[in-house]
C-alpha cells in the first residue's frame, strides 16, 4: 500500500539519496516543502481517485500516508485523513484497521475536535460483547470533504496543516503538526529505534487570549497477537487475543520533564519472562512538559469497550477542561483503589483487552503568540517470531543499555525510556532530517536560486564541491519520489536483527562507550 502518486525507482536512485545528503547551515525552514512534498487534502478519497486496493492485503487503497517507526522495528501508518490505520508493529504481519481510539484531538476555546476526517471517529460507541455500555455518543471531527486541512509527506517527515475554521468558530488559532521517526543516513542506532515524534505548532492570530489543549490517545495493541487494534467485528471468541495479562501505568522521566503512560505485558516488564513473541513488551505515549506554561495530564487507562467509559473518562474531561485532572476522569468511589495504583512505582492498573491511555497538554496563547508541543509514541517489542523458523532479536535491542534510565530495566520494558530520548532529542533529529533533505528540496525549487551554498561561500553539504560547478537541477516529482519511496525500507515487512541463540538477548553486543561518545550528540540516556 504505497502512497498514491509515488513511484518505484531503480535501486541506484535510492542509493543516491542516502549517500549524498549534506549539512548546510542550520537555519532551516521546518515546514513542508511545497511543490516537492506529496500533498493531499485531509479527506476523501477525492472524486476520480480509485477507491479499492489493487492487490488485496498488500495495497490498502488510496487513503495512505508515511509510516512511523524504525528500520526493522515495526511501523504504524497514519493516513492523510489523520487516522492511524496501517499496523506493521508485528514484523512480517500486515493489518489494515483504522483505529477507533488511537487519535489526536484539539480543544480550541472550548470546542473539542478529533484531528481526523474519518467519519467513524464522530461516533463513540461500545463493543457488543465488550462487557460495557453499547450506547453511542457523538463528537466533533474534521470535515470529511477535505476542507479541514492539508497533508504533506516527504519521508521520513509528514505534516498536517489544519484549517483554523475547522477547529473552532472564528478560526483564530492556527495549528500545524509535523511527525517523523529518526530514519537518518549513517545513524544506525537512531534509525532502528521504534519511536515516532509528533510536534504541534499553535499560533494565536486573534486579538484576545486563546485557550488551547491537545490530546494523544492510544489503544493497547498488545491485547492481540496481530499487535494492532482488536478486530471487534467477529464474535469475541474470534478476537485473536494474546494469552497474557496487561497493565497500564503512568510514568515520569528526566526529573519530571517527560510524563506519559505505559501499556505493557506484566510478566515481561516485571522481569519474570524473557520476550519471545511479537506481542511481548510495552508501548508508551508521552509529552514534553519542559515548558512550565504547559499543563500536562495523563489518563493511564480507560475502557474502549464501554461507550460510557470513553465518554466520561476521556472525551468529556478533555472537551470540558482540556485535560484529565480531577474527579471527572475517574468514577471516584469505584476507582479510588485503582487510581492509587496508576503510577508505575505502585504496580500499575490491570487492563482488559479493550483498553487505551491518553496524554493531554493544555495552555493559553496570548494574541500573536506561538507555542510548540511535542508528543512521542514508542514501543519496546524486542522479539520477532514466525510460524516457521527461529525467533529474532530486533536491531535496536543491541542498544538497550543506552536507552534505559536504570540498569535493572529488562528487555521489553524500555518504551518509556525510548519515548523520553525521542522527546529530548526531537530538535536534533528534525534538524538532521531537514539538513539531509535541504539540498534535494531546493534543487527542485526556482531556477535562479543557488541551492548548494550560501552566497560566496564554500558549503559543506556537497564534499569536494567546486565553487563554480553548475548547480544540479532535479524535477520536483523525482525529489518527492526519492524520499517518499524510502518508506519501504521500514514499512515493507522489514526485519533488521539477528537470530536469538541460547544466549538470548544477553548475547547482544552493546554499543561501546567509545562509539556512543563519537556519535553526534553523545547520547547516554538521561
Amino acid at each position: 500500500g504505497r502512497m498514491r502518486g509515488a513511484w518505484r525507482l531503480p535501486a541506484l536512485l535510492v542509493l543516491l539519496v542516502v549517500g549524498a545528503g549534506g549539512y548546510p547551515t542550520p537555519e532551516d525552514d521546518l515546514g513542508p516543502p511545497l511543490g516537492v512534498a506529496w500533498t493531499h487534502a485531509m479527506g476523501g478519497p477525492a472524486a476520480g481517485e480509485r477507491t479499492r486496493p489493487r492487490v488485496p492485503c498488500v495495497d490498502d487503497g488510496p487513503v495512505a500516508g508515511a509510516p512511523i517507526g524504525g528500520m526493522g522495528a515495526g511501523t504504524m501508518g497514519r493516513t492523510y485523513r489523520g487516522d492511524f490505520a496501517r499496523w506493521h508493529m508485528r514484523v512480517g504481519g500486515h493489518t489494515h484497521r483504522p483505529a477507533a481510539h488511537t487519535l489526536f484531538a484539539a480543544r480550541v476555546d472550548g470546542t473539542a475536535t478529533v484531528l481526523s476526517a474519518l467519519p467513524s471517529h464522530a461516533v463513540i460507541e461500545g463493543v457488543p460483547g465488550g462487557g460495557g455500555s453499547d450506547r453511542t455518543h457523538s463528537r466533533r471531527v474534521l470535515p470529511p470533504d477535505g476542507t479541514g486541512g492539508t497533508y504533506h509527506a516527504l519521508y521520513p517527515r509528514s505534516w498536517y496543516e489544519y484549517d483554523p475554521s475547522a477547529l473552532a468558530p472564528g478560526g483564530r488559532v492556527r495549528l500545524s503538526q509535523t511527525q517523523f521517526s529518526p530514519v537518518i543516513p549513517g545513524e544506525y542506532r537512531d534509525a532502528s529505534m521504534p519511536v515516532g515524534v509528533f510536534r504541534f505548532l499553535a499560533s494565536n492570530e486573534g486579538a484576545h487570549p486563546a485557550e488551547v489543549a491537545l490530546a494523544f490517545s492510544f489503544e493497547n495493541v498488545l491485547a492481540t497477537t496481530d499487535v494492532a487494534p482488536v478486530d471487534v467485528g467477529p464474535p469475541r471468541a474470534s478476537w485473536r487475543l494474546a494469552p497474557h495479562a496487561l497493565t497500564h501505568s503512568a510514568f515520569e522521566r528526566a526529573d519530571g520533564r517527560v510524563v506519559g503512560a505505559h501499556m505493557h505485558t506484566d510478566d515481561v516488564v516485571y522481569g519474570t519472562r524473557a520476550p519471545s513473541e511479537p506481542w511481548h513488551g510495552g508501548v508508551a505515549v508521552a509529552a514534553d512538559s519542559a515548558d512550565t506554561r504547559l499543563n500536562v495530564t495523563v489518563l493511564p487507562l480507560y475502557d474502549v469497550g464501554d461507550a460510557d467509559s470513553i465518554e466520561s473518562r476521556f472525551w468529556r474531561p478533555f472537551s470540558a477542561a482540556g485535560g484529565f485532572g480531577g474527579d471527572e476522569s475517574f468514577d471516584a468511589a469505584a476507582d479510588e483503589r485503582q487510581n492509587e495504583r496508576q503510577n508505575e512505582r505502585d504496580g500499575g492498573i490491570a487492563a482488559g483487552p479493550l483498553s487505551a491511555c491518553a496524554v493531554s497538554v493544555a495552555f493559553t496563547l496570548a494574541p500573536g503568540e506561538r507555542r510548540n508541543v511535542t508528543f512521542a509514541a514508542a514501543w519496546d517489542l524486542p522479539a520477532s517470531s514466525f510460524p516457521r523458523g527461529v525467533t529474532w532479536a530486533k536491531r535496536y535491542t543491541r542498544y538497550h543499555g543506552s536507552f534505559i534510565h536504570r540498569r535493572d530495566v529488562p528487555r521489553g520494558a524500555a518504551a518509556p525510556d525510548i519515548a523520553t530520548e525521542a522527546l529530548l532529542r526531537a530538535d536534533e533529529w528534525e534538524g538532521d532530517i531537514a539538513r539531509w533533505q535541504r539540498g534535494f528540496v531546493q534543487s527542485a525549487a526556482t531556477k535562479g536560486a543557488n541551492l548548494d551554498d550560501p552566497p560566496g561561500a564554500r558549503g559543506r553539504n556537497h564534499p569536494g564541491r567546486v565553487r563554480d560547478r553548475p548547480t544540479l537541477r532535479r524535477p520536483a516529482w523525482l525529489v518527492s519520489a526519492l524520499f517518499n519511496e524510502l518508506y519501504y525500507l521500514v514499512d515493507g515487512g522489514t526485519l533488521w536483527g539477528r537470530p536469538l541463540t541460547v544466549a538470548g538477548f544477553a548475547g547482544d553486543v552493546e554499543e561501546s562507550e567509545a562509539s556512543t561518545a563519537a556519535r553526534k550528540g553523545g547520547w547516554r540516556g538521561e
Side-chain angles (χ1 to χ4, degrees):
R2 356 181 244 279
M3 294 178 293
R4 192 172 186 266
W7 300 268
R8 290 204 178 282
L9 296 170
L12 177 61
L13 293 179
V14 174
L15 291 174
L16 171 66
V17 75
V18 172
Y23 301 91
T25 56
E27 288 77 23
D28 290 302
D29 178 4
L30 299 181
L34 302 179
V36 176
W38 186 87
T39 300
H40 199 288
M42 288 188 65
E49 287 186 298
R50 64 188 178 91
T51 58
R52 294 183 179 181
R54 291 191 178 99
V55 183
C57 298
V58 177
D59 181 354
D60 300 317
V63 183
I68 289 290
M71 291 184 64
T75 60
M76 57 183 177
R78 187 178 178 204
T79 78
Y80 58 67
R81 292 180 306 207
D83 58 304
F84 291 82
R86 183 175 170 98
W87 302 92
H88 287 179
M89 294 177 78
R90 176 170 181 165
V91 175
H94 171 78
T95 300
H96 185 266
R97 186 174 301 141
H101 310 288
T102 297
L103 53 86
F104 284 99
R107 179 181 183 269
V108 177
D109 289 332
T111 299
T113 307
V114 178
L115 296 179
S116 164
L118 183 68
S120 61
H121 276 155
V123 180
I124 299 172
E125 56 185 351
V127 176
S133 168
D134 58 0
R135 291 186 295 180
T136 61
H137 305 272
S138 62
R139 58 187 172 189
R140 194 171 186 267
V141 298
L142 298 176
D145 62 0
T147 58
T150 305
Y151 172 81
H152 310 274
L154 193 68
Y155 185 79
R157 288 188 295 172
S158 53
W159 297 261
Y160 294 84
E161 296 185 312
Y162 304 100
D163 188 290
S165 63
L167 301 179
R172 61 195 180 109
V173 172
R174 185 170 298 279
L175 187 66
S176 60
Q177 180 188 2
T178 306
Q179 64 184 36
F180 59 88
S181 292
V183 181
I184 303 167
E187 300 291 343
Y188 295 136
R189 174 189 180 277
D190 297 349
S192 71
M193 291 175 65
V195 70
V197 177
F198 306 86
R199 315 194 75 181
F200 286 86
L201 176 62
S203 58
N204 182 1
E205 300 178 346
H208 302 284
E211 298 296 325
V212 181
L214 301 164
F216 187 15
S217 171
F218 207 99
E219 293 182 48
N220 193 336
V221 296
L222 306 179
T224 169
T225 57
D226 295 330
V227 195
V230 178
D231 182 4
V232 296
R236 186 184 178 98
S238 302
W239 282 2
R240 298 171 60 84
L241 298 181
H244 54 226
L246 300 171
T247 298
H248 290 211
S249 59
F251 68 87
E252 292 186 358
R253 295 288 189 276
D255 297 323
R257 172 176 172 175
V258 174
V259 295
H262 187 201
M263 306 175 288
H264 51 84
T265 52
D266 274 5
D267 47 5
V268 171
V269 167
Y270 296 129
T272 58
R273 178 203 292 259
S276 59
E277 298 289 353
W279 53 87
H280 286 168
V283 178
V285 294
D288 187 341
S289 63
D291 187 339
T292 57
R293 298 169 297 178
L294 303 178
N295 180 26
V296 182
T297 58
V298 178
L299 180 63
L301 171 67
Y302 69 99
D303 183 356
V304 298
D306 183 343
D308 290 345
S309 172
I310 302 166
E311 201 274 339
S312 65
R313 295 194 178 195
F314 170 61
W315 191 249
R316 189 198 309 162
F318 177 72
S319 59
F324 311 115
D327 292 341
E328 69 271 9
S329 62
F330 287 96
D331 296 328
D335 295 310
E336 183 177 0
R337 290 189 300 274
Q338 183 185 63
N339 198 11
E340 291 173 351
R341 293 179 56 82
Q342 68 180 358
N343 294 318
E344 61 179 349
R345 62 180 178 274
D346 300 320
I349 312 168
L354 301 176
S355 57
C357 66
V359 180
S360 71
V361 180
F363 51 96
T364 301
L365 285 176
E369 187 178 11
R370 305 170 70 188
R371 187 156 304 153
N372 288 289
V373 174
T374 306
F375 296 91
W379 52 98
D380 186 11
L381 304 171
S384 287
S385 64
F386 303 91
R388 302 176 184 175
V390 299
T391 299
W392 292 70
K394 296 175 183 174
R395 168 78 181 202
Y396 79 90
T397 61
R398 71 184 300 174
Y399 309 112
H400 177 79
S402 66
F403 295 137
I404 57 179
H405 72 294
R406 293 194 323 259
R407 291 190 177 276
D408 61 344
V409 175
R411 311 277 180 164
D417 297 318
I418 295 172
T420 297
E421 178 174 345
L423 291 171
L424 299 184
R425 298 183 65 198
D427 289 340
E428 173 195 339
W429 284 345
E430 188 171 12
D432 285 346
I433 294 169
R435 283 186 288 272
W436 166 36
Q437 295 183 335
R438 182 180 182 229
F440 293 92
V441 168
Q442 291 190 331
S443 72
T446 60
K447 292 184 178 180
N450 184 343
L451 306 175
D452 293 324
D453 292 323
R458 183 180 177 86
R460 295 175 294 163
N461 55 326
H462 291 284
R465 178 181 182 270
V466 177
R467 182 185 300 273
D468 59 352
R469 189 183 67 188
T471 301
L472 176 64
R473 301 293 169 186
R474 304 177 180 93
W477 66 263
L478 175 61
V479 175
S480 178
L482 281 172
F483 285 102
N484 281 328
E485 284 300 299
L486 292 177
Y487 89 96
Y488 207 72
L489 293 176
V490 300
D491 195 49
T494 310
L495 174 61
W496 188 19
R498 65 169 182 85
L500 273 175
T501 64
V502 291
F505 289 99
D508 273 336
V509 178
E510 290 283 354
E511 186 178 37
S512 69
E513 188 75 12
S515 64
T516 302
R519 187 166 36 81
K520 188 171 71 172
W523 178 260
R524 292 188 180 86
E526 287 185 25

